[in-house]
């Protein structure tokens, strides 16, 4: 009998598929958080491999700040229609109006943190007991210490001291009423792993992941995509640059990087040469304090 050896992408894929099937088996009302970014697109491909030819055992859910990249929103809608899967979109702006929340003001104003309110409302509205997300441990130090099954209390809060052991790929999804679990099937992947998988699978991405010319606002040494959503100061400089986005979040807190990578091989080559993580290179919201991400997670963030 011929032995078949799995390469590292096969192993990562198998682990992620196992985790997705564990979610389907352990929870009554899971959801897959889908933004149109590369990590959540990868999750969708993994869900296809885990559950096709059946329908997904969960809807796709997007918490839309209203300040997202239009390229990602178009891709989100097109992929959901192509898959024939249910897409639930809830808007941060509606939450702001309904709860009379104060929008952040000033130089680093962003609705990114306000997504937590809308996410928790959506979890309560649909009774979701598990939310699958595309976070990875290589992105940021708070995510590096979070488990694959991350239990949140009835307020959506994460307590690092309440994390459960995950020995031998055994995941404990037991929760009490009101609690929910955030699940990260690609937690053990790196940015390079994701791109190599996208290349192997021939996955199409929004075009902002590849080099294009764009007007950018130079702020604190980073290139922010110019838009009406970004607070502008009199001394701000706007330039036209050849850039791409390593991660696609809210436009107000996601910077581009200068690039000549017009295709996937070019992107992979640039990642191999990069010495800074994608969030370290591009996410303004992670720079507001040393514990910015962990503080948001403790408040119920993704």
């Amino acid at each position: 009998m011929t032995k078949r050896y799995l390469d590292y992408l096969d192993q990562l894929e198998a682990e992620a598929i196992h985790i997705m099937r564990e979610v389907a088996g352990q929870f009554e009302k899971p959801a897959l958080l889908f933004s149109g970014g590369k990590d959540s697109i990868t999750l969708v491909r993994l869900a296809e491999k885990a559950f096709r030819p059946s329908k997904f055992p969960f809807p796709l859910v997007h918490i839309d700040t209203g300040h997202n990249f239009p390229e990602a929103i178009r891709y989100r809608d097109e992929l959901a229609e192509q898959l024939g899967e249910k897409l639930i979109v809830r808007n941060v702006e509606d939450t702001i109006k309904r709860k009379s929340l104060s929008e952040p003001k000033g130089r680093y104003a962003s609705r990114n943190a306000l997504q937590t309110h809308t996410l928790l409302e959506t979890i309560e509205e649909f009774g979701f007991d598990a939310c699958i997300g595309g976070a990875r441990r290589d992105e940021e130090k708070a995510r590096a210490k979070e488990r694959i099954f991350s239990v949140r209390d009835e307020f959506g809060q994460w307590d690092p001291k309440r994390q459960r052991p995950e020995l031998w790929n055994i995941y404990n999804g037991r929760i009490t009423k009101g609690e929910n679990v955030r699940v990260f099937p690609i937690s053990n992947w790196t940015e390079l792993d994701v791109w190599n998988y996208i290349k192997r699978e021939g996955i199409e991405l929004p075009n902002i992941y590849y080099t294009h010319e764009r007007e950018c606002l130079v702020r604190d040494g980073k290139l922010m995509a110019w838009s009406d959503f970004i607070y502008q100061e009199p001394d701000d400089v706007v330039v036209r640059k050849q850039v791409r986005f390593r991660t696609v979040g809210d436009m107000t807190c996601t910077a581009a990087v200068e690039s000549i990578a017009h295709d996937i091989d070019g992107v992979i080559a640039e990642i191999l040469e990069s010495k800074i993580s994608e969030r370290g290179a591009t996410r303004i919201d992670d720079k507001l304090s040393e514990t910015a991400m962990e503080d948001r997670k403790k408040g119920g963030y993704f």
Side-chain angles (χ1 to χ4, degrees), residues 89-236:
V89 179
R90 290 295 179 267
N91 297 293
V92 172
E93 186 159 356
D94 294 338
T95 305
I96 291 171
K97 293 175 180 176
R98 186 166 52 253
K99 289 192 167 187
S100 299
L101 299 176
S102 297
E103 287 215 46
K105 306 292 183 185
R107 184 177 179 84
Y108 300 106
S110 172
R111 288 179 174 177
N112 199 43
L114 296 180
Q115 290 180 98
T116 299
H117 297 276
T118 310
L119 174 62
L120 296 179
E121 281 187 341
T122 305
I123 289 171
E124 184 177 2
E125 177 185 354
F126 293 96
F128 294 135
D129 51 3
C131 293
I132 302 168
R136 306 187 322 269
R137 287 179 175 143
D138 74 317
E139 292 181 286
E140 198 274 340
K141 57 191 175 186
R143 288 181 167 174
K145 66 182 181 183
E146 190 167 16
R147 297 285 192 261
I148 289 173
F149 272 35
S150 179
V151 178
R152 305 298 177 97
D153 65 18
E154 61 270 27
F155 303 107
Q157 297 172 325
W158 176 58
D159 182 355
K161 296 179 180 179
R162 290 185 62 220
Q163 296 191 102
R164 297 168 177 175
E166 293 180 342
L167 305 176
W168 308 295
N169 292 331
I170 297 174
Y171 305 104
N172 179 3
R174 181 177 295 180
I175 54 176
T176 60
K177 185 175 177 59
E179 292 180 328
N180 65 85
V181 176
R182 310 291 167 80
V183 181
F184 307 113
I186 60 172
S187 187
N188 290 328
W189 298 39
T190 66
E191 180 186 15
L192 184 60
D193 295 335
V194 171
W195 277 99
N196 279 328
Y197 188 75
I198 288 167
K199 178 181 178 179
R200 189 185 82 171
E201 296 294 309
I203 299 172
E204 185 179 346
L205 296 178
N207 57 16
I208 56 174
Y209 278 108
Y210 302 104
T211 297
H212 57 285
E213 188 173 284
R214 180 183 289 263
E215 284 193 331
C216 297
L217 186 150
V218 182
R219 176 161 292 171
D220 299 333
K222 297 191 182 300
L223 298 170
M224 308 293 295
W226 187 91
S227 78
D228 293 335
F229 306 135
I230 295 179
Y231 177 81
Q232 297 175 38
E233 297 180 332
D235 59 344
D236 279 336

